[in-house]
Amino acid sequence: MLHSLYPVSSQRTELLQTIVCLDGSPPAYYFEPGFGEGIENWIVQLPGGGWCNNVTSCLRRSNGRLGSSKSMPPMQFQGIHSKNQTANPDFYNWNKVIVAYCDGGSFIGNAEYVDPATNLHFRGARIYTAVMEELLAKGLKNAKNAILAGSSAGSYPAILYCDRFRNLLPSTSRVKCLIDSGYFESAKTLPKSCTSKMKPELIQYTLRDGTDECIKNGTCTTRQNNTIQEMRSDFLNALPKGNPKLRGVFIDVVPHHTCIITRWTPENATVVHKRSAPKAFADWYFDRNYTYLIDEHNLPLPNIVPNVTQ
């Protein structure tokens, strides 16, 4: 089933014309109402799609579905949004929302000025706020259970907005956030509640030097393999070591981008210690089971043959 766009119609009508996509078109979202016992439960996803980082790339982006609501096709809800009870037993009947990603900057821009030569608008933060206002009016304000999910570029704002999302809902609601493939940050925008406990400099690695491709192709050099192992070690050492009943961990070493949200079906899900990612997340979300699931394989994986010459 394909889902059409819902244009945002902010109740603050005087501000609606300032809440726009890159090209100035109105923002929108995809929505499927919940049913049965899931009618008071909500999952809101901020999808990925990379970024534009200069005028040229943003102009190019503004002419397509990632920069304009004029170019967005209908969407098929899959994975965690699926209505298939067998494949998605915990969330199949929830209210599901996918916020259209059309600002090019991970829903965090809030620039007032618009250069008349380009007509580019950078107002992703306003889009997020306007959509939340509309969803609250649709019933989100009464949610018994709610999830703010982010994948790839959408994971970044899901991290930043997680506490704000929690504060929008009743204190009696179960509210948690799902961050899928979001191991990247901008230190200047991290909340002080985070940077006061952990140095942002810990996030120092990048796979933009071709390391991600060498993993897939089995052509990593010794230097690249060493970098991967160092990243893994630093990452694991940075994990909180508190009471496992207060948190959960699911870490795999399978080369992929976006896992939980898109690989939700039993046959596609990533598995660590005989527990699938969707099952581990659902157990953690509903407070059924808290586990530290860490894949013990070392990269490169057994099916990846490294190139030992540099």
Side-chain angles (χ1 to χ4, degrees):
M1 178 179 179
L2 296 177
H3 298 79
S4 299
L5 283 170
Y6 282 72
V8 174
S9 54
S10 173
Q11 296 183 25
R12 297 182 298 170
T13 54
E14 74 281 3
L15 295 179
L16 184 57
Q17 62 182 358
T18 74
I19 306 170
V20 292
C21 300
L22 264 176
D23 70 334
S25 61
Y29 57 92
Y30 300 89
F31 174 61
E32 179 172 74
F35 58 93
E37 295 181 357
I39 197 168
E40 294 180 298
N41 302 331
W42 290 74
I43 177 166
V44 180
Q45 182 185 347
L46 304 177
W51 307 272
C52 59
N53 52 21
N54 54 47
V55 172
T56 301
S57 64
C58 288
L59 277 173
R60 186 184 309 117
R61 189 183 183 100
S62 69
N63 293 315
R65 65 179 182 82
L66 291 174
S68 172
S69 60
K70 300 175 184 177
S71 306
M72 293 176 183
M75 179 177 290
Q76 185 174 8
F77 281 8
Q78 304 179 72
I80 196 173
H81 305 293
S82 170
K83 293 173 67 174
N84 185 324
Q85 185 175 1
T86 301
N88 188 26
D90 292 294
F91 308 106
Y92 74 97
N93 57 0
W94 285 32
N95 294 282
K96 294 146 188 169
V97 178
I98 300 178
V99 184
Y101 180 27
C102 65
D103 66 283
S106 287
F107 297 98
I108 60 174
N110 191 23
E112 186 66 38
Y113 175 74
V114 178
D115 186 341
T118 64
N119 195 41
L120 290 173
H121 300 71
F122 301 99
R123 295 175 177 171
R126 301 186 190 187
I127 293 175
Y128 172 82
T129 299
V131 172
M132 288 302 116
E133 286 183 355
E134 190 153 319
L135 297 181
L136 288 170
K138 281 182 175 289
L140 177 61
K141 65 180 179 182
N142 299 318
K144 290 184 178 180
N145 297 287
I147 297 171
L148 177 64
S151 53
S152 190
S155 289
Y156 182 25
I159 293 171
L160 296 180
Y161 295 145
C162 186
D163 289 340
R164 300 184 207 178
F165 185 72
R166 160 70 272 184
N167 293 334
L168 291 174
L169 305 180
S171 59
T172 55
S173 304
R174 178 189 281 111
V175 182
K176 298 184 181 182
C177 298
L178 169 57
I179 309 303
D180 185 11
S181 300
Y183 185 52
F184 43 80
E185 287 293 347
S186 173
K188 292 183 179 180
T189 55
L190 287 170
K192 291 183 179 179
S193 59
C194 174
T195 56
S196 64
K197 299 176 183 178
M198 182 180 295
K199 295 181 180 179
E201 289 79 10
L202 285 173
I203 305 174
Q204 59 181 314
Y205 297 96
T206 178
L207 298 182
R208 291 183 180 178
D209 62 351
T211 305
D212 55 338
E213 290 300 319
C214 87
I215 293 174
K216 297 175 185 177
N217 300 328
T219 57
C220 293
T221 64
T222 299
R223 177 181 58 80
Q224 288 171 321
N225 283 334
N226 289 339
T227 297
I228 295 168
Q229 296 293 356
E230 289 175 6
M231 181 177 70
R232 170 183 166 81
S233 178
D234 285 353
F235 183 88
L236 293 180
N237 289 334
L239 291 175
K241 302 300 190 296
N243 187 339
K245 291 186 178 181
L246 300 180
R247 63 184 86 246
V249 167
F250 185 97
I251 298 174
D252 66 84
V253 296
V254 180
H256 57 75
H257 188 61
T258 67
C259 168
I260 295 179
I261 292 177
T262 57
R263 300 185 183 189
W264 200 262
T265 58
E267 62 270 20
N268 293 327
T270 302
V271 176
V272 173
H273 296 309
K274 299 182 179 181
R275 184 73 61 87
S276 71
K279 182 67 166 62
F281 172 76
D283 284 347
W284 169 80
Y285 177 81
F286 288 107
D287 303 300
R288 296 187 300 226
N289 190 14
Y290 303 90
T291 52
Y292 261 60
L293 298 171
I294 300 176
D295 199 332
E296 301 302 329
H297 288 99
N298 287 320
L299 283 173
L301 293 176
N303 64 327
I304 297 175
V305 180
N307 177 2
V308 296
T309 60
Q310 289 184 254

